Amino acid sequence: SDPAIQPGSPAERGGLKANDIILEVEGKRLDETHTLAGALRGFDVGQTVQLTVYRNGSELSLRVTLEEKS
């Protein structure tokens, strides 16, 4: 299967790791009705977004720059 975080991807460069769970995008909590794809729809390529992720029992804040999907 494909790795969750592609080597060299914006996610990897932004500090995301394979088992991270993204909880928030720009302070908006993700859930069943507010998906990651939906949250990112309002942003443009080249913009940097603030993510809150859950990793190993704690929450971290990361900044990821959005890029075109290749």
Side-chain angles (χ1 to χ4, degrees):
S1 70
D2 287 338
I5 304 294
Q6 298 291 326
S9 69
E12 183 188 58
R13 286 195 299 278
L16 282 170
K17 306 271 186 233
N19 293 319
D20 287 355
I21 299 167
I22 300 173
L23 301 174
E24 295 180 356
V25 175
E26 289 294 328
K28 293 190 175 95
R29 202 81 176 168
L30 301 181
D31 56 29
E32 297 80 29
T33 54
H34 300 94
T35 64
L36 178 60
L40 294 178
R41 211 171 280 130
F43 297 96
D44 295 320
V45 169
Q47 281 190 283
T48 301
V49 295
Q50 184 84 33
L51 303 180
T52 302
V53 301
Y54 182 80
R55 178 188 298 163
N56 298 331
S58 58
E59 290 187 13
L60 300 169
S61 191
L62 302 173
R63 295 194 64 75
V64 176
T65 301
L66 302 178
E67 294 183 9
E68 290 281 357
K69 219 174 172 178
S70 53

Short mmCIF file of all heavy atoms in Angstrom, two decimals:
data_model
loop_
_atom_site.label_atom_id
_atom_site.label_comp_id
_atom_site.label_asym_id
_atom_site.label_seq_id
_atom_site.Cartn_x
_atom_site.Cartn_y
_atom_site.Cartn_z
N SER A 1 0.85 -1.20 0.00
CA SER A 1 0.00 0.00 0.00
C SER A 1 0.88 1.25 0.00
O SER A 1 2.03 1.21 0.40
CB SER A 1 -0.93 -0.01 1.20
OG SER A 1 -0.22 0.18 2.39
N ASP A 2 0.32 2.35 -0.44
CA ASP A 2 1.06 3.61 -0.48
C ASP A 2 1.28 4.12 0.94
O ASP A 2 0.40 4.00 1.79
CB ASP A 2 0.25 4.68 -1.24
CG ASP A 2 0.24 4.43 -2.74
OD1 ASP A 2 1.14 3.72 -3.23
OD2 ASP A 2 -0.67 4.93 -3.41
N PRO A 3 2.46 4.73 1.18
CA PRO A 3 2.65 5.34 2.50
C PRO A 3 1.71 6.52 2.67
O PRO A 3 1.36 7.19 1.69
CB PRO A 3 4.12 5.79 2.46
CG PRO A 3 4.50 5.84 1.03
CD PRO A 3 3.59 4.87 0.31
N ALA A 4 1.30 6.78 3.91
CA ALA A 4 0.37 7.88 4.18
C ALA A 4 1.02 9.23 3.87
O ALA A 4 0.36 10.14 3.39
CB ALA A 4 -0.07 7.83 5.64
N ILE A 5 2.29 9.34 4.15
CA ILE A 5 3.03 10.58 3.89
C ILE A 5 4.08 10.27 2.83
O ILE A 5 5.00 9.49 3.06
CB ILE A 5 3.72 11.11 5.18
CG1 ILE A 5 2.72 11.31 6.32
CG2 ILE A 5 4.49 12.38 4.89
CD1 ILE A 5 1.69 12.38 6.09
N GLN A 6 3.93 10.86 1.67
CA GLN A 6 4.85 10.61 0.56
C GLN A 6 6.18 11.33 0.80
O GLN A 6 6.18 12.49 1.20
CB GLN A 6 4.25 11.12 -0.76
CG GLN A 6 2.96 10.44 -1.17
CD GLN A 6 3.17 8.99 -1.57
OE1 GLN A 6 4.19 8.63 -2.13
NE2 GLN A 6 2.21 8.16 -1.27
N PRO A 7 7.31 10.64 0.57
CA PRO A 7 8.61 11.31 0.71
C PRO A 7 8.69 12.54 -0.20
O PRO A 7 8.27 12.49 -1.36
CB PRO A 7 9.60 10.23 0.25
CG PRO A 7 8.88 8.93 0.45
CD PRO A 7 7.42 9.24 0.19
N GLY A 8 9.19 13.64 0.34
CA GLY A 8 9.33 14.86 -0.44
C GLY A 8 8.05 15.65 -0.63
O GLY A 8 8.04 16.68 -1.29
N SER A 9 6.95 15.18 -0.06
CA SER A 9 5.66 15.85 -0.23
C SER A 9 5.58 17.09 0.67
O SER A 9 6.34 17.23 1.63
CB SER A 9 4.52 14.90 0.13
OG SER A 9 4.53 14.64 1.52
N PRO A 10 4.63 18.00 0.38
CA PRO A 10 4.44 19.15 1.26
C PRO A 10 4.16 18.73 2.70
O PRO A 10 4.60 19.38 3.63
CB PRO A 10 3.23 19.88 0.66
CG PRO A 10 3.16 19.42 -0.75
CD PRO A 10 3.73 18.03 -0.77
N ALA A 11 3.42 17.63 2.87
CA ALA A 11 3.10 17.14 4.22
C ALA A 11 4.38 16.77 4.96
O ALA A 11 4.58 17.15 6.11
CB ALA A 11 2.17 15.94 4.14
N GLU A 12 5.28 16.05 4.27
CA GLU A 12 6.54 15.66 4.92
C GLU A 12 7.39 16.90 5.22
O GLU A 12 7.92 17.03 6.32
CB GLU A 12 7.32 14.69 4.04
CG GLU A 12 8.60 14.22 4.73
CD GLU A 12 9.50 13.40 3.83
OE1 GLU A 12 9.92 13.91 2.76
OE2 GLU A 12 9.79 12.26 4.21
N ARG A 13 7.48 17.81 4.27
CA ARG A 13 8.28 19.02 4.50
C ARG A 13 7.69 19.87 5.62
O ARG A 13 8.42 20.58 6.31
CB ARG A 13 8.39 19.84 3.20
CG ARG A 13 9.34 19.21 2.20
CD ARG A 13 9.72 20.18 1.10
NE ARG A 13 8.58 20.61 0.32
CZ ARG A 13 8.04 19.93 -0.69
NH1 ARG A 13 8.53 18.75 -1.02
NH2 ARG A 13 7.01 20.40 -1.35
N GLY A 14 6.37 19.81 5.80
CA GLY A 14 5.73 20.56 6.88
C GLY A 14 5.87 19.91 8.23
O GLY A 14 5.46 20.46 9.24
N GLY A 15 6.44 18.70 8.27
CA GLY A 15 6.70 18.03 9.55
C GLY A 15 5.73 16.93 9.90
O GLY A 15 5.82 16.35 10.97
N LEU A 16 4.77 16.62 9.01
CA LEU A 16 3.82 15.54 9.31
C LEU A 16 4.52 14.19 9.28
O LEU A 16 5.40 13.94 8.45
CB LEU A 16 2.67 15.54 8.31
CG LEU A 16 1.59 16.59 8.52
CD1 LEU A 16 0.65 16.64 7.34
CD2 LEU A 16 0.82 16.32 9.79
N LYS A 17 4.11 13.31 10.17
CA LYS A 17 4.61 11.94 10.23
C LYS A 17 3.47 10.98 9.92
O LYS A 17 2.30 11.32 10.01
CB LYS A 17 5.17 11.65 11.63
CG LYS A 17 6.21 12.64 12.10
CD LYS A 17 7.59 12.23 11.70
CE LYS A 17 8.63 13.15 12.29
NZ LYS A 17 9.55 13.71 11.34
N ALA A 18 3.83 9.73 9.60
CA ALA A 18 2.87 8.75 9.11
C ALA A 18 1.68 8.52 10.04
O ALA A 18 0.56 8.37 9.57
CB ALA A 18 3.57 7.43 8.83
N ASN A 19 1.88 8.50 11.35
CA ASN A 19 0.77 8.18 12.25
C ASN A 19 0.09 9.40 12.85
O ASN A 19 -0.73 9.28 13.75
CB ASN A 19 1.25 7.24 13.37
CG ASN A 19 1.63 5.89 12.81
OD1 ASN A 19 0.94 5.35 11.94
ND2 ASN A 19 2.73 5.34 13.27
N ASP A 20 0.44 10.60 12.37
CA ASP A 20 -0.21 11.81 12.86
C ASP A 20 -1.69 11.81 12.48
O ASP A 20 -2.07 11.33 11.42
CB ASP A 20 0.42 13.06 12.24
CG ASP A 20 1.80 13.36 12.79
OD1 ASP A 20 2.24 12.68 13.73
OD2 ASP A 20 2.44 14.29 12.26
N ILE A 21 -2.50 12.34 13.37
CA ILE A 21 -3.92 12.53 13.09
C ILE A 21 -4.16 14.03 13.05
O ILE A 21 -3.90 14.74 14.02
CB ILE A 21 -4.79 11.88 14.20
CG1 ILE A 21 -4.53 10.39 14.24
CG2 ILE A 21 -6.28 12.18 13.96
CD1 ILE A 21 -5.09 9.71 15.47
N ILE A 22 -4.63 14.53 11.90
CA ILE A 22 -4.88 15.96 11.77
C ILE A 22 -6.21 16.26 12.45
O ILE A 22 -7.24 15.69 12.11
CB ILE A 22 -4.91 16.39 10.29
CG1 ILE A 22 -3.55 16.09 9.64
CG2 ILE A 22 -5.25 17.88 10.18
CD1 ILE A 22 -3.51 16.31 8.15
N LEU A 23 -6.15 17.14 13.45
CA LEU A 23 -7.33 17.49 14.24
C LEU A 23 -7.98 18.79 13.76
O LEU A 23 -9.20 18.92 13.80
CB LEU A 23 -6.94 17.66 15.71
CG LEU A 23 -6.31 16.46 16.41
CD1 LEU A 23 -5.87 16.85 17.80
CD2 LEU A 23 -7.26 15.29 16.44
N GLU A 24 -7.16 19.76 13.36
CA GLU A 24 -7.68 21.08 12.98
C GLU A 24 -6.90 21.64 11.81
O GLU A 24 -5.71 21.36 11.65
CB GLU A 24 -7.53 22.08 14.14
CG GLU A 24 -8.35 21.75 15.36
CD GLU A 24 -8.17 22.78 16.47
OE1 GLU A 24 -7.36 23.72 16.33
OE2 GLU A 24 -8.85 22.63 17.50
N VAL A 25 -7.59 22.44 11.00
CA VAL A 25 -6.98 23.23 9.94
C VAL A 25 -7.35 24.68 10.22
O VAL A 25 -8.53 25.02 10.25
CB VAL A 25 -7.48 22.80 8.54
CG1 VAL A 25 -6.91 23.72 7.47
CG2 VAL A 25 -7.13 21.35 8.25
N GLU A 26 -6.33 25.52 10.46
CA GLU A 26 -6.57 26.94 10.77
C GLU A 26 -7.60 27.10 11.89
O GLU A 26 -8.49 27.94 11.81
CB GLU A 26 -7.01 27.71 9.52
CG GLU A 26 -5.91 27.91 8.50
CD GLU A 26 -4.79 28.81 8.97
OE1 GLU A 26 -5.04 29.75 9.75
OE2 GLU A 26 -3.64 28.58 8.56
N GLY A 27 -7.49 26.25 12.91
CA GLY A 27 -8.36 26.36 14.07
C GLY A 27 -9.74 25.74 13.92
O GLY A 27 -10.52 25.73 14.86
N LYS A 28 -10.06 25.23 12.73
CA LYS A 28 -11.36 24.58 12.52
C LYS A 28 -11.21 23.09 12.76
O LYS A 28 -10.43 22.40 12.09
CB LYS A 28 -11.88 24.84 11.10
CG LYS A 28 -12.22 26.29 10.86
CD LYS A 28 -12.95 26.45 9.55
CE LYS A 28 -13.40 27.88 9.36
NZ LYS A 28 -12.49 28.69 8.58
N ARG A 29 -11.97 22.59 13.74
CA ARG A 29 -11.90 21.18 14.12
C ARG A 29 -12.44 20.29 13.00
O ARG A 29 -13.47 20.58 12.41
CB ARG A 29 -12.75 20.97 15.38
CG ARG A 29 -12.39 19.74 16.17
CD ARG A 29 -11.19 20.03 17.02
NE ARG A 29 -10.87 18.90 17.87
CZ ARG A 29 -9.73 18.81 18.53
NH1 ARG A 29 -8.84 19.75 18.45
NH2 ARG A 29 -9.48 17.77 19.29
N LEU A 30 -11.73 19.20 12.70
CA LEU A 30 -12.19 18.23 11.70
C LEU A 30 -13.03 17.16 12.38
O LEU A 30 -12.74 16.76 13.50
CB LEU A 30 -11.00 17.58 10.99
CG LEU A 30 -10.03 18.52 10.27
CD1 LEU A 30 -8.92 17.72 9.61
CD2 LEU A 30 -10.75 19.38 9.26
N ASP A 31 -14.08 16.72 11.69
CA ASP A 31 -14.91 15.62 12.19
C ASP A 31 -15.59 14.97 11.00
O ASP A 31 -15.18 15.18 9.86
CB ASP A 31 -15.91 16.12 13.25
CG ASP A 31 -16.80 17.25 12.73
OD1 ASP A 31 -17.07 17.30 11.51
OD2 ASP A 31 -17.25 18.07 13.54
N GLU A 32 -16.64 14.21 11.24
CA GLU A 32 -17.31 13.48 10.16
C GLU A 32 -17.87 14.42 9.09
O GLU A 32 -17.89 14.09 7.91
CB GLU A 32 -18.46 12.61 10.69
CG GLU A 32 -18.04 11.51 11.63
CD GLU A 32 -17.79 12.01 13.05
OE1 GLU A 32 -18.42 13.01 13.48
OE2 GLU A 32 -16.94 11.40 13.73
N THR A 33 -18.33 15.60 9.49
CA THR A 33 -18.92 16.52 8.53
C THR A 33 -17.93 17.56 8.03
O THR A 33 -18.13 18.17 6.99
CB THR A 33 -20.15 17.24 9.13
OG1 THR A 33 -19.77 17.86 10.35
CG2 THR A 33 -21.29 16.27 9.37
N HIS A 34 -16.85 17.80 8.76
CA HIS A 34 -15.82 18.77 8.37
C HIS A 34 -14.54 17.99 8.07
O HIS A 34 -13.74 17.73 8.97
CB HIS A 34 -15.59 19.80 9.48
CG HIS A 34 -16.82 20.58 9.81
ND1 HIS A 34 -17.67 20.22 10.83
CD2 HIS A 34 -17.36 21.68 9.24
CE1 HIS A 34 -18.68 21.07 10.87
NE2 HIS A 34 -18.51 21.96 9.91
N THR A 35 -14.37 17.61 6.80
CA THR A 35 -13.25 16.76 6.41
C THR A 35 -12.01 17.60 6.07
O THR A 35 -12.09 18.80 5.84
CB THR A 35 -13.61 15.93 5.17
OG1 THR A 35 -13.85 16.84 4.07
CG2 THR A 35 -14.84 15.07 5.42
N LEU A 36 -10.86 16.92 6.01
CA LEU A 36 -9.62 17.59 5.63
C LEU A 36 -9.75 18.18 4.23
O LEU A 36 -9.41 19.35 4.01
CB LEU A 36 -8.45 16.60 5.69
CG LEU A 36 -7.10 17.18 5.27
CD1 LEU A 36 -6.69 18.34 6.15
CD2 LEU A 36 -6.04 16.09 5.28
N ALA A 37 -10.26 17.40 3.28
CA ALA A 37 -10.41 17.89 1.90
C ALA A 37 -11.31 19.13 1.88
O ALA A 37 -11.02 20.11 1.19
CB ALA A 37 -10.97 16.80 1.01
N GLY A 38 -12.40 19.08 2.63
CA GLY A 38 -13.31 20.21 2.68
C GLY A 38 -12.66 21.43 3.31
O GLY A 38 -12.84 22.56 2.84
N ALA A 39 -11.88 21.21 4.36
CA ALA A 39 -11.22 22.32 5.05
C ALA A 39 -10.18 22.98 4.15
O ALA A 39 -10.00 24.19 4.19
CB ALA A 39 -10.57 21.82 6.34
N LEU A 40 -9.50 22.19 3.33
CA LEU A 40 -8.46 22.73 2.46
C LEU A 40 -9.01 23.38 1.20
O LEU A 40 -8.30 24.13 0.53
CB LEU A 40 -7.45 21.63 2.09
CG LEU A 40 -6.63 21.08 3.25
CD1 LEU A 40 -5.73 19.98 2.77
CD2 LEU A 40 -5.83 22.18 3.94
N ARG A 41 -10.27 23.09 0.88
CA ARG A 41 -10.88 23.61 -0.35
C ARG A 41 -10.86 25.14 -0.40
O ARG A 41 -10.79 25.73 -1.46
CB ARG A 41 -12.32 23.10 -0.46
CG ARG A 41 -12.78 22.91 -1.89
CD ARG A 41 -14.11 22.20 -1.97
NE ARG A 41 -13.94 20.76 -1.82
CZ ARG A 41 -14.63 19.99 -0.99
NH1 ARG A 41 -15.55 20.50 -0.22
NH2 ARG A 41 -14.40 18.70 -0.93
N GLY A 42 -10.92 25.79 0.75
CA GLY A 42 -10.95 27.25 0.78
C GLY A 42 -9.60 27.92 0.62
O GLY A 42 -9.51 29.13 0.65
N PHE A 43 -8.54 27.15 0.46
CA PHE A 43 -7.20 27.70 0.36
C PHE A 43 -6.64 27.49 -1.04
O PHE A 43 -7.06 26.59 -1.76
CB PHE A 43 -6.28 27.05 1.40
CG PHE A 43 -6.71 27.32 2.81
CD1 PHE A 43 -7.48 26.40 3.49
CD2 PHE A 43 -6.37 28.51 3.44
CE1 PHE A 43 -7.91 26.65 4.78
CE2 PHE A 43 -6.79 28.76 4.73
CZ PHE A 43 -7.56 27.84 5.41
N ASP A 44 -5.68 28.31 -1.40
CA ASP A 44 -5.06 28.23 -2.71
C ASP A 44 -3.68 27.60 -2.63
O ASP A 44 -3.02 27.67 -1.58
CB ASP A 44 -4.93 29.63 -3.32
CG ASP A 44 -6.27 30.27 -3.60
OD1 ASP A 44 -7.18 29.55 -4.06
OD2 ASP A 44 -6.41 31.48 -3.35
N VAL A 45 -3.23 27.06 -3.75
CA VAL A 45 -1.88 26.53 -3.86
C VAL A 45 -0.91 27.66 -3.50
O VAL A 45 -1.11 28.81 -3.91
CB VAL A 45 -1.62 26.01 -5.29
CG1 VAL A 45 -0.15 25.71 -5.51
CG2 VAL A 45 -2.47 24.79 -5.55
N GLY A 46 0.10 27.35 -2.71
CA GLY A 46 1.08 28.35 -2.29
C GLY A 46 0.79 28.95 -0.94
O GLY A 46 1.67 29.52 -0.31
N GLN A 47 -0.46 28.80 -0.47
CA GLN A 47 -0.79 29.31 0.87
C GLN A 47 -0.25 28.35 1.92
O GLN A 47 -0.17 27.14 1.70
CB GLN A 47 -2.30 29.45 1.04
CG GLN A 47 -2.87 30.69 0.40
CD GLN A 47 -4.32 30.90 0.81
OE1 GLN A 47 -5.20 30.23 0.29
NE2 GLN A 47 -4.55 31.80 1.74
N THR A 48 0.09 28.90 3.07
CA THR A 48 0.53 28.10 4.20
C THR A 48 -0.62 28.02 5.20
O THR A 48 -1.24 29.03 5.51
CB THR A 48 1.77 28.72 4.85
OG1 THR A 48 2.80 28.78 3.87
CG2 THR A 48 2.26 27.88 6.02
N VAL A 49 -0.91 26.79 5.64
CA VAL A 49 -2.00 26.60 6.60
C VAL A 49 -1.45 26.02 7.90
O VAL A 49 -0.47 25.30 7.91
CB VAL A 49 -3.11 25.67 6.04
CG1 VAL A 49 -3.80 26.31 4.87
CG2 VAL A 49 -2.58 24.30 5.69
N GLN A 50 -2.10 26.39 8.98
CA GLN A 50 -1.76 25.91 10.32
C GLN A 50 -2.55 24.64 10.58
O GLN A 50 -3.77 24.63 10.47
CB GLN A 50 -2.13 26.98 11.35
CG GLN A 50 -1.74 26.64 12.76
CD GLN A 50 -0.31 27.00 13.04
OE1 GLN A 50 0.21 27.97 12.50
NE2 GLN A 50 0.34 26.23 13.87
N LEU A 51 -1.86 23.56 10.90
CA LEU A 51 -2.51 22.30 11.24
C LEU A 51 -2.25 21.98 12.70
O LEU A 51 -1.15 22.21 13.21
CB LEU A 51 -1.95 21.14 10.40
CG LEU A 51 -2.02 21.25 8.88
CD1 LEU A 51 -1.41 20.01 8.25
CD2 LEU A 51 -3.45 21.43 8.42
N THR A 52 -3.26 21.45 13.37
CA THR A 52 -3.07 20.89 14.70
C THR A 52 -3.16 19.38 14.53
O THR A 52 -4.14 18.87 13.98
CB THR A 52 -4.15 21.37 15.68
OG1 THR A 52 -4.10 22.81 15.73
CG2 THR A 52 -3.93 20.81 17.07
N VAL A 53 -2.11 18.68 14.95
CA VAL A 53 -2.07 17.23 14.80
C VAL A 53 -1.88 16.56 16.15
O VAL A 53 -1.34 17.15 17.08
CB VAL A 53 -0.95 16.77 13.82
CG1 VAL A 53 -1.14 17.37 12.45
CG2 VAL A 53 0.43 17.09 14.36
N TYR A 54 -2.37 15.34 16.22
CA TYR A 54 -2.21 14.51 17.41
C TYR A 54 -1.11 13.50 17.11
O TYR A 54 -1.20 12.77 16.12
CB TYR A 54 -3.54 13.80 17.71
CG TYR A 54 -3.50 12.95 18.96
CD1 TYR A 54 -3.62 13.52 20.21
CD2 TYR A 54 -3.34 11.57 18.87
CE1 TYR A 54 -3.60 12.75 21.36
CE2 TYR A 54 -3.31 10.79 20.02
CZ TYR A 54 -3.44 11.38 21.26
OH TYR A 54 -3.40 10.61 22.38
N ARG A 55 -0.05 13.50 17.93
CA ARG A 55 1.07 12.58 17.73
C ARG A 55 1.55 12.07 19.10
O ARG A 55 1.90 12.85 19.96
CB ARG A 55 2.22 13.30 17.02
CG ARG A 55 3.45 12.41 16.83
CD ARG A 55 4.64 13.18 16.31
NE ARG A 55 4.37 13.76 15.00
CZ ARG A 55 5.10 14.73 14.47
NH1 ARG A 55 6.12 15.24 15.11
NH2 ARG A 55 4.78 15.21 13.28
N ASN A 56 1.57 10.77 19.23
CA ASN A 56 2.12 10.14 20.44
C ASN A 56 1.58 10.75 21.74
O ASN A 56 2.33 11.05 22.65
CB ASN A 56 3.66 10.22 20.44
CG ASN A 56 4.27 9.49 19.27
OD1 ASN A 56 3.72 8.52 18.77
ND2 ASN A 56 5.41 9.96 18.81
N GLY A 57 0.28 10.97 21.79
CA GLY A 57 -0.34 11.42 23.03
C GLY A 57 -0.38 12.91 23.26
O GLY A 57 -0.86 13.36 24.28
N SER A 58 0.12 13.71 22.30
CA SER A 58 0.05 15.15 22.49
C SER A 58 -0.30 15.85 21.18
O SER A 58 -0.19 15.27 20.11
CB SER A 58 1.37 15.69 23.05
OG SER A 58 2.43 15.38 22.18
N GLU A 59 -0.75 17.10 21.31
CA GLU A 59 -1.12 17.89 20.14
C GLU A 59 0.05 18.79 19.76
O GLU A 59 0.71 19.37 20.62
CB GLU A 59 -2.36 18.73 20.43
CG GLU A 59 -3.61 17.89 20.55
CD GLU A 59 -4.89 18.72 20.66
OE1 GLU A 59 -4.86 19.94 20.40
OE2 GLU A 59 -5.91 18.13 21.02
N LEU A 60 0.29 18.88 18.46
CA LEU A 60 1.36 19.73 17.93
C LEU A 60 0.77 20.67 16.90
O LEU A 60 -0.22 20.34 16.25
CB LEU A 60 2.41 18.88 17.21
CG LEU A 60 3.15 17.82 18.00
CD1 LEU A 60 3.92 16.93 17.04
CD2 LEU A 60 4.10 18.48 18.98
N SER A 61 1.40 21.81 16.72
CA SER A 61 0.99 22.75 15.70
C SER A 61 2.05 22.77 14.61
O SER A 61 3.23 22.91 14.89
CB SER A 61 0.86 24.14 16.35
OG SER A 61 0.24 25.01 15.47
N LEU A 62 1.62 22.58 13.36
CA LEU A 62 2.53 22.56 12.21
C LEU A 62 2.02 23.51 11.15
O LEU A 62 0.82 23.75 11.04
CB LEU A 62 2.60 21.14 11.60
CG LEU A 62 3.04 20.00 12.51
CD1 LEU A 62 2.88 18.68 11.78
CD2 LEU A 62 4.47 20.19 12.95
N ARG A 63 2.94 24.03 10.33
CA ARG A 63 2.56 24.87 9.20
C ARG A 63 2.97 24.15 7.92
O ARG A 63 4.11 23.74 7.79
CB ARG A 63 3.22 26.25 9.30
CG ARG A 63 2.71 27.01 10.53
CD ARG A 63 3.04 28.47 10.54
NE ARG A 63 2.42 29.24 9.48
CZ ARG A 63 1.14 29.60 9.42
NH1 ARG A 63 0.29 29.19 10.35
NH2 ARG A 63 0.69 30.32 8.44
N VAL A 64 2.01 23.99 7.01
CA VAL A 64 2.24 23.28 5.75
C VAL A 64 1.85 24.19 4.59
O VAL A 64 0.78 24.78 4.61
CB VAL A 64 1.43 21.96 5.70
CG1 VAL A 64 1.59 21.26 4.38
CG2 VAL A 64 1.86 21.03 6.85
N THR A 65 2.73 24.27 3.60
CA THR A 65 2.44 25.04 2.39
C THR A 65 1.77 24.12 1.37
O THR A 65 2.28 23.05 1.07
CB THR A 65 3.72 25.66 1.81
OG1 THR A 65 4.30 26.49 2.80
CG2 THR A 65 3.42 26.49 0.57
N LEU A 66 0.62 24.56 0.87
CA LEU A 66 -0.15 23.76 -0.07
C LEU A 66 0.48 23.79 -1.45
O LEU A 66 0.95 24.84 -1.90
CB LEU A 66 -1.59 24.26 -0.15
CG LEU A 66 -2.34 24.27 1.18
CD1 LEU A 66 -3.74 24.83 0.96
CD2 LEU A 66 -2.41 22.89 1.78
N GLU A 67 0.51 22.64 -2.12
CA GLU A 67 1.05 22.54 -3.46
C GLU A 67 0.07 21.78 -4.34
O GLU A 67 -0.80 21.09 -3.84
CB GLU A 67 2.39 21.79 -3.44
CG GLU A 67 3.48 22.55 -2.72
CD GLU A 67 4.82 21.84 -2.77
OE1 GLU A 67 4.94 20.82 -3.51
OE2 GLU A 67 5.73 22.28 -2.05
N GLU A 68 0.26 21.91 -5.66
CA GLU A 68 -0.55 21.15 -6.61
C GLU A 68 -0.34 19.67 -6.36
O GLU A 68 0.78 19.24 -6.08
CB GLU A 68 -0.13 21.45 -8.06
CG GLU A 68 -0.48 22.83 -8.54
CD GLU A 68 -1.94 22.96 -8.95
OE1 GLU A 68 -2.69 21.96 -8.93
OE2 GLU A 68 -2.33 24.08 -9.29
N LYS A 69 -1.40 18.88 -6.49
CA LYS A 69 -1.28 17.44 -6.39
C LYS A 69 -0.61 16.93 -7.66
O LYS A 69 -1.00 17.30 -8.76
CB LYS A 69 -2.67 16.81 -6.24
CG LYS A 69 -2.73 15.69 -5.29
CD LYS A 69 -4.15 15.24 -5.11
CE LYS A 69 -4.16 13.97 -4.31
NZ LYS A 69 -5.49 13.50 -4.05
N SER A 70 0.43 16.12 -7.51
CA SER A 70 1.12 15.64 -8.71
C SER A 70 0.67 14.25 -9.09
O SER A 70 -0.03 13.59 -8.38
CB SER A 70 2.62 15.66 -8.49
OG SER A 70 2.97 14.98 -7.33
#
